[in-house]
Amino acid sequence: MGHRVVVVDDLSGGFEENIPKEAEFFPWDITEPVLVEELFKQVRPDYVYHFACYAAEGLSHFIKRFNYGNNLLGSVNLINCAVNYEVKCFVFTSSMAVYGSQQVPFREEMIPMPEDSYGIAKYAVERELEISHKMFRLPYVIFRPHNVFGERQNIGDKYRNVVGIFMNQCLKGEPMTIFGNGNQMRAFSYVGGVAPIISECVDNPKALNRTFNIGSDYPITVNQLSEDVATVMKYPWRVARFDVRQEVAKAFCDHSKLERVFGEIKSLSHMAALLRMAEWVKEHGARQSKEFKDIEITKNLPPSWVHA
Ligand SMILES: NC(=O)c1ccc[n+]([C@@H]2O[C@H](COP(=O)([O-])OP(=O)(O)OC[C@H]3O[C@@H](n4cnc5c(N)ncnc54)[C@H](O)[C@@H]3O)[C@@H](O)[C@H]2O)c1
């Protein structure tokens, strides 16, 4: 598309090898307002695609201060500069977590009722964008993705990305770990279907200043996912069950609003997408999960998340 692309990532959860060579890279932390100001001064971006986040939804209950500092205040630093430097469009990946445990499938007109700190931070950023548009005419597009997976994902974070966690466990010869009975339902969404829509949204006038669910229409249980992962990894199905943890039982979305504006998502089928990720994971190898160091509340922390 001929744009100059600048990537900002402090590599707290990402990997430099995933950044295309043609992109300029600033290994900066968005929670540092002075750095964010310097970035906008140097780059003067037309568009901001804001994905930076620590998206460990379940863990967010136990790391509230970090969650709001990183995911909310970091976002506010970007919004301030986007207003001051007159960005043409601010694209934000919120999350299905804003809905909480309402009737599925979640629809955009439902009033958000997030049930964890991650979802609350996402909803606060959404509202900030809405009022920054009203007050300062900052154009925005908000996406609420859900359970995205695919090649290059961080498979070494034991607190998030269940597809990656399962595949990593297969590679290490460990059983796949499931919280509770595994009947939780999610629609796992291949990144190859979701990413093109997000990247092209700024050129679609019908998308401006609106919010969209985005992802797969194919909800399955976590038990089913574990079987599917075992199949594509060619690994005998083996699971270890942990106590149920505080999480929404059924979470998936309606995408008719997205389809009206962008058309249908063009994606690989569920099994073809899992297979493609499995091939990448096998080639790439297992990753060691890092412990999250600064847990702020240890009460009710799932035992498997307590540091050894
Ligand atoms: N993956 C999903 O299923 C999913 C679902 C809903 C929403 N989202 C949202 O989409 C976005 C991308 O998610 P992802 O799964 O690709 O996550 P990811 O962890 O792979 O990518 C987020 C990146 O942000 C970087 N980062 C974190 N804090 C930073 C900071 N303070 N300064 C600079 N960089 C920082 C990390 O290093 C990482 O590379 C996030 O905003 C997430 O909340 C993801």
Side-chain angles (χ1 to χ4, degrees):
M1 289 157 99
H3 293 295
R4 172 186 173 203
V5 177
V6 173
V7 174
V8 184
D9 196 308
D10 67 355
L11 301 179
S12 51
F15 304 93
E16 202 167 347
E17 73 213 35
N18 289 342
I19 301 170
K21 295 278 167 292
E22 310 78 50
E24 292 164 56
F25 175 45
F26 288 71
W28 291 0
D29 180 349
I30 60 158
T31 65
E32 299 287 346
V34 176
L35 287 183
V36 175
E37 175 71 35
E38 181 57 29
L39 177 78
F40 275 71
K41 214 160 123 191
Q42 284 190 31
V43 174
R44 306 225 166 228
D46 289 324
Y47 303 107
V48 172
Y49 287 79
H50 172 32
F51 307 120
C53 183
Y54 185 45
E57 184 174 358
L59 187 66
S60 70
H61 291 286
F62 308 99
I63 54 167
K64 294 177 189 299
R65 187 177 45 235
F66 178 83
N67 168 71
Y68 292 117
N70 201 63
N71 299 347
L72 176 52
L73 295 181
S75 303
V76 168
N77 290 336
L78 294 174
I79 294 173
N80 281 345
C81 285
V83 170
N84 288 334
Y85 286 82
E86 301 196 333
V87 158
K88 288 184 191 154
C89 188
F90 192 106
V91 181
F92 175 57
T93 45
S94 176
S95 167
M96 168 182 77
V98 300
Y99 293 110
S101 48
Q102 306 194 50
Q103 178 66 46
V104 283
F106 303 142
R107 304 175 67 91
E108 291 87 346
E109 60 268 26
M110 289 173 166
I111 296 172
M113 294 280 281
E115 293 190 357
D116 50 60
S117 309
Y118 167 73
I120 295 170
K122 287 291 191 188
Y123 187 41
V125 178
E126 286 193 9
R127 292 292 298 148
E128 256 313 321
L129 285 171
E130 284 156 13
I131 61 161
S132 297
H133 172 62
K134 261 197 185 151
M135 185 79 191
F136 306 112
R137 313 309 305 163
L138 173 67
Y140 70 87
V141 182
I142 295 169
F143 289 99
R144 294 175 177 163
H146 48 89
N147 302 98
V148 182
F149 69 93
E151 309 93 293
R152 298 178 183 276
Q153 185 160 44
N154 183 357
I155 61 166
D157 185 337
K158 68 175 182 179
Y159 308 101
R160 62 177 300 242
N161 298 336
V162 62
V163 175
I165 291 173
F166 283 174
M167 290 188 178
N168 204 33
Q169 288 170 327
C170 287
L171 279 184
K172 292 199 280 184
E174 296 170 1
M176 294 177 267
T177 49
I178 294 180
F179 289 98
N181 62 14
N183 290 330
Q184 306 90 310
M185 290 195 88
R186 302 288 184 270
F188 298 94
S189 310
Y190 182 54
V191 68
V194 168
I197 290 183
I198 296 179
S199 75
E200 286 158 24
C201 73
V202 298
D203 293 326
N204 186 336
K206 288 194 210 137
L208 274 193
N209 310 317
R210 299 179 76 189
T211 299
F212 301 93
N213 296 333
I214 186 166
S216 156
D217 283 315
Y218 178 58
I220 58 171
T221 64
V222 171
N223 286 329
Q224 179 66 53
L225 177 74
S226 69
E227 289 178 29
D228 296 345
V229 167
T231 305
V232 295
M233 293 293 289
K234 301 190 175 56
Y235 174 84
W237 180 75
R238 208 154 57 92
V239 299
R241 294 198 187 268
F242 290 158
D243 284 347
V244 67
R245 66 169 190 188
Q246 182 65 38
E247 65 178 326
V248 175
K250 284 186 185 176
F252 47 89
C253 293
D254 173 274
H255 301 108
S256 43
K257 183 176 175 187
L258 183 94
E259 283 166 14
R260 282 196 299 277
V261 173
F262 295 97
E264 240 178 70
I265 290 192
K266 293 178 195 66
S267 182
L268 294 175
S269 71
H270 170 68
M271 287 307 279
L274 277 183
L275 188 61
R276 185 170 291 181
M277 176 159 170
E279 281 161 1
W280 176 82
V281 162
K282 282 182 186 166
E283 195 186 307
H284 187 270
R287 276 197 196 276
Q288 199 53 40
S289 179
K290 280 188 249 160
E291 303 286 343
F292 190 92
K293 289 251 164 25
D294 300 312
I295 301 285
E296 296 156 25
I297 296 177
T298 51
K299 190 173 179 178
N300 298 341
L301 188 67
S304 60
W305 288 353
V306 175
H307 297 181

